[in-house]
């Protein structure tokens, strides 16, 4: 199993609705501040999430689950994302929606397992022997071609490296010269060469060559300290899914049939259980040797009631695994049927899986809290509001929903800009409310009419 050159497959988070959230907004004692880190209200839920964050950091919650239950628009996704913010960028956070598991190409359990393994990180620490310094000499030595003819081949390359402590001349293999050419290394560049693999990495241009320009195309780095030949600790953060993907790719040959097979194969392929077991075995050996450290991350499953009985049965088994992340579920359902059965259960989740969960309830927002949230959101979108307009928008939110009120922010801004105003006033809010319908108003109109289709 190879770990070097593993490409990260972590999903990039681009959830624009929650960009203003920076954390849970707790003080040093773990008590929720009324308005902090982009969150408003939900003090009990935030304090409970704070305890969960402490459990995750102390590595005492692996394989356990958390359920965020509450009405739509009460901040369940926001709480899960604030937990991710509190844990920091080094802890894997994998968001998914319950309906993602339904695919015509891949089994439901395979998609669940893939996301489980995305949420488990591995921090690999390697001590590598490297030659590091500024290139002072770069001279390829040529020799007669042993195959005959007029051509000449490179027999070896002489490279001079300099640091603050001294300099060294190295005689390198011609294959390393090819890597030097690929990196476009020239005299004056700061590079390092791994002594075990011969991999060459260009760090940047030496700052002694820095010119007096305001804008530079090059990145200038200081001259390396210490000896040219040194031991360097390299820390790499990968997830178990990264290891699965990098080892599942068939290492095909260069012949036409291999290349045709690679082009024709499906984009989405299943990773076998045998490969995962083998990777788990190697990972466990690395952990025992102290080379790697396991970082259990967070898997966030929104709309968990969309999963069916097969998925829930699989989750029971997956949560008992030794390599398991912390799973946060979210649902806005009350008592409803479990998908794929006729059984009625709280939140649409089987009772045996509910027994494994800590449940956090989110409460509906008050009018005052809604006004604060809309104010934060307006600040994030750089929209100026008059106080009376914010109060009017808060009233609209309490009558309809918070989501509808947030959706009204941009139309209000466009209306104000059209009329030549600087800040949104109460009349603009009333006008936008008159132009658009929310879900409840639309449902009332449909109830009064005979419907559209005949």
């Amino acid at each position: 199993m190879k770990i070097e050159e593993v490409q990260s497959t972590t999903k990039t988070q681009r959830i624009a609705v929650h960009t203003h959230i920076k954390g849970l907004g707790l003080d040093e004692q773990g008590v929720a501040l009324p308005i902090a880190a982009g969150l408003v209200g939900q003090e009990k839920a935030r304090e409970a999430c704070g305890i969960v964050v402490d459990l995750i950091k102390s590595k005492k919650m692996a394989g356990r689950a958390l359920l965020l239950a509450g009405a739509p628009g009460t901040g369940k996704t926001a709480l899960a994302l604030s937990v991710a913010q509190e844990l920091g960028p080094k802890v894997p956070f994998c968001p998914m929606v319950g309906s993602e598991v339904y695919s015509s190409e891949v089994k439901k359990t395979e998609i669940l397992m893939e996301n489980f393994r995305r949420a488990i990180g591995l921090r690999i620490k390697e001590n590598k022997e490297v030659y590091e310094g500024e290139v002072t000499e770069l001279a390829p030595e040529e020799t007669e071609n042993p195959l005959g003819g007029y051509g000449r081949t490179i027999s070896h390359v002489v490279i001079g490296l300099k640091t603050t402590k001294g300099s060294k001349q190295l005689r390198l293999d011609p294959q390393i010269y090819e890597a030097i050419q690929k990196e476009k290394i020239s005299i004056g560049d700061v590079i390092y060469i791994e002594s075990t693999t011969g991999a060459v990495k260009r760090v940047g241009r030496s700052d002694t060559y820095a010119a007096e320009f305001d804008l530079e195309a090059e990145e200038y780095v200081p001259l390396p300290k210490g000896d040219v030949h040194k031991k360097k600790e390299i820390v790499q953060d990968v997830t178990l899914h990264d290891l699965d993907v990098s080892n599942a790719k068939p290492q095909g040959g260069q012949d036409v049939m291999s290349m045709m097979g690679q082009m024709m194969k499906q984009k989405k392929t299943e990773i076998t259980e045998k490969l995962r077991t083998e990777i788990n075995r190697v990972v466990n050996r690395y952990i025992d040797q102290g080379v790697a450290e396991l970082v259990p991350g967070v898997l966030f499953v929104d709309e968990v009631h969309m999963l069916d009985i097969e998925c829930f049965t699989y989750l029971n088994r997956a949560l008992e695994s030794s390599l398991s992340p912390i799973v946060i579920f979210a649902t806005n359902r009350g008592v409803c049927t479990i998908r794929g059965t006729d059984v009625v259960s709280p939140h649409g989740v089987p009772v045996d899986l509910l027994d494994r969960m800590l449940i956090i309830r989110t409460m509906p927002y008050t009018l005052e809290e809604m006004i604060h949230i809309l104010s934060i959101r307006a600040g994030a979108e750089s929209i100026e509001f008059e106080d009376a307009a914010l109060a009017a928008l808060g009233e609209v939110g309490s009558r309809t929903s918070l989501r509808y009120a947030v959706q009204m922010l941009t139309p209000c801004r466009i209306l104000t800009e059209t009329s030549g105003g600087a800040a949104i006033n109460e009349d603009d809010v009333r006008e936008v409310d008159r132009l658009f319908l929310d879900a409840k108003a639309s449902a009332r109109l449909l109830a009064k009419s005979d419907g559209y289709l005949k």
Side-chain angles (χ1 to χ4, degrees):
M1 193 192 89
K2 61 183 193 327
I3 283 178
E4 287 158 2
E5 304 298 321
V6 173
Q7 295 294 316
S8 179
T9 58
T10 310
K11 289 182 183 177
T12 52
Q13 290 180 45
R14 288 196 133 180
I15 306 169
V17 181
H18 298 108
T19 45
H20 60 281
I21 287 161
K22 302 288 183 277
L24 283 168
L26 306 175
D27 64 11
E28 290 174 2
Q29 280 77 39
V31 178
L33 303 168
I35 302 165
L39 289 176
V40 178
Q42 305 291 2
E43 282 89 353
K44 274 189 181 177
R46 280 157 59 196
E47 285 170 16
C49 285
I51 293 167
V52 169
V53 167
D54 290 339
L55 282 169
I56 295 167
K57 283 181 177 173
S58 61
K59 297 180 183 174
K60 288 180 180 169
M61 200 172 159
R64 299 194 204 177
L66 185 72
L67 177 67
L68 299 171
T74 52
K76 297 182 293 295
T77 310
L79 279 172
L81 289 168
S82 54
V83 166
Q85 294 277 4
E86 289 285 337
L87 290 170
K90 294 290 182 188
V91 177
F93 178 78
C94 178
M96 67 170 284
V97 185
S99 53
E100 271 183 49
V101 299
Y102 301 104
S103 162
S104 58
E105 294 176 333
V106 186
K107 296 199 296 273
K108 291 175 271 196
T109 53
E110 171 63 23
I111 291 168
L112 274 175
M113 179 48 89
E114 183 183 305
N115 282 298
F116 255 75
R117 289 176 78 83
R118 273 185 207 274
I120 303 167
L122 194 69
R123 189 165 294 145
I124 303 155
K125 293 175 185 172
E126 289 181 281
N127 282 318
K128 290 187 177 178
E129 283 189 24
V130 295
Y131 292 94
E132 186 178 35
E134 179 196 323
V135 180
T136 55
E137 181 188 357
L138 187 61
E141 297 283 334
E142 292 182 341
T143 184
E144 295 290 335
N145 194 334
L147 301 172
Y150 297 106
R152 294 173 73 83
T153 59
I154 292 167
S155 61
H156 62 272
V157 60
V158 175
I159 189 166
L161 294 177
K162 181 179 78 174
T163 63
T164 52
K165 207 170 180 182
S167 58
K168 202 165 196 170
Q169 197 177 51
L170 306 174
R171 186 184 162 101
L172 304 175
D173 189 77
Q175 286 181 335
I176 296 176
Y177 183 60
E178 287 175 23
I180 288 169
Q181 284 181 311
K182 276 183 189 173
E183 287 278 324
K184 295 178 181 174
I185 289 162
S186 60
I187 291 169
D189 290 347
V190 174
I191 67 165
Y192 75 83
I193 305 166
E194 289 180 19
S195 60
T196 49
T197 59
V200 181
K201 179 84 173 121
R202 183 180 184 272
V203 183
R205 192 95 174 128
S206 175
D207 58 5
T208 53
Y209 289 81
E212 294 295 322
F213 296 117
D214 292 331
L215 196 65
E216 293 279 6
E218 282 283 359
E219 185 186 349
Y220 291 99
V221 292
L223 193 67
K225 294 173 184 175
D227 295 315
V228 173
H229 184 220
K230 64 185 80 166
K231 285 190 176 180
K232 199 172 187 180
E233 188 181 63
I234 295 166
V235 179
Q236 192 181 5
D237 283 301
V238 294
T239 66
L240 292 187
H241 179 65
D242 299 340
L243 297 177
D244 293 345
V245 170
S246 64
N247 289 283
K249 285 177 185 170
Q251 307 298 318
Q254 296 301 312
D255 59 315
V256 178
M257 288 306 293
S258 296
M259 292 175 79
M260 285 287 287
Q262 283 178 18
M263 282 191 283
M264 290 173 68
K265 78 176 197 307
Q266 288 182 340
K267 291 281 183 286
K268 191 89 176 166
T269 53
E270 286 193 23
I271 295 159
T272 60
E273 195 62 37
K274 187 180 176 184
L275 174 72
R276 287 203 173 113
T277 309
E278 182 63 24
I279 287 170
N280 288 353
R281 196 171 60 75
V282 175
V283 164
N284 284 325
R285 192 174 76 235
Y286 277 5
I287 292 164
D288 292 341
Q289 289 170 357
V291 175
E293 178 192 357
L294 200 69
V295 185
V298 175
L299 172 63
F300 174 52
V301 186
D302 209 352
E303 309 291 343
V304 69
H305 52 266
M306 289 300 295
L307 299 177
D308 63 7
I309 192 70
E310 288 175 45
C311 298
F312 288 128
T313 316
Y314 187 77
L315 280 172
N316 272 326
R317 191 205 118 190
L319 284 169
E320 287 176 352
S321 165
S322 58
L323 295 174
S324 173
I326 296 93
V327 187
I328 300 178
F329 299 112
T331 180
N332 54 24
R333 297 295 165 96
V335 178
C336 61
T337 54
I338 300 165
R339 192 170 173 150
T341 68
D342 298 325
V343 180
V344 176
S345 179
H347 311 296
V349 179
V351 180
D352 56 340
L353 185 59
L354 272 176
D355 278 347
R356 295 176 186 271
M357 298 183 192
L358 293 169
I359 301 172
I360 296 175
R361 188 184 173 199
T362 55
M363 305 299 291
Y365 290 110
T366 62
L367 174 60
E368 195 180 327
E369 287 171 345
M370 274 191 188
I371 292 168
H372 281 304
I373 291 165
L374 290 165
S375 173
I376 292 166
R377 193 68 212 159
E381 293 185 26
S382 304
I383 301 171
E384 286 187 33
F385 265 90
E386 289 178 5
D387 291 342
L390 265 179
L393 200 60
E395 284 172 22
V396 171
S398 61
R399 190 187 76 234
T400 57
S401 70
L402 178 61
R403 283 178 180 159
Y404 174 68
V406 170
Q407 297 284 359
M408 283 176 64
L409 290 172
T410 310
C412 286
R413 190 195 70 195
I414 292 165
L415 198 67
T416 306
E417 285 174 358
T418 309
S419 60
I424 295 165
N425 58 38
E426 194 175 347
D427 293 338
D428 295 329
V429 174
R430 301 286 180 215
E431 178 67 14
V432 170
D433 191 29
R434 189 181 62 78
L435 289 170
F436 296 100
L437 286 176
D438 66 282
K440 290 175 186 173
S442 180
R444 280 198 299 273
L445 282 172
L446 285 172
K448 286 177 186 174
S449 67
D450 297 330
Y452 299 129
L453 295 173
K454 295 290 182 189

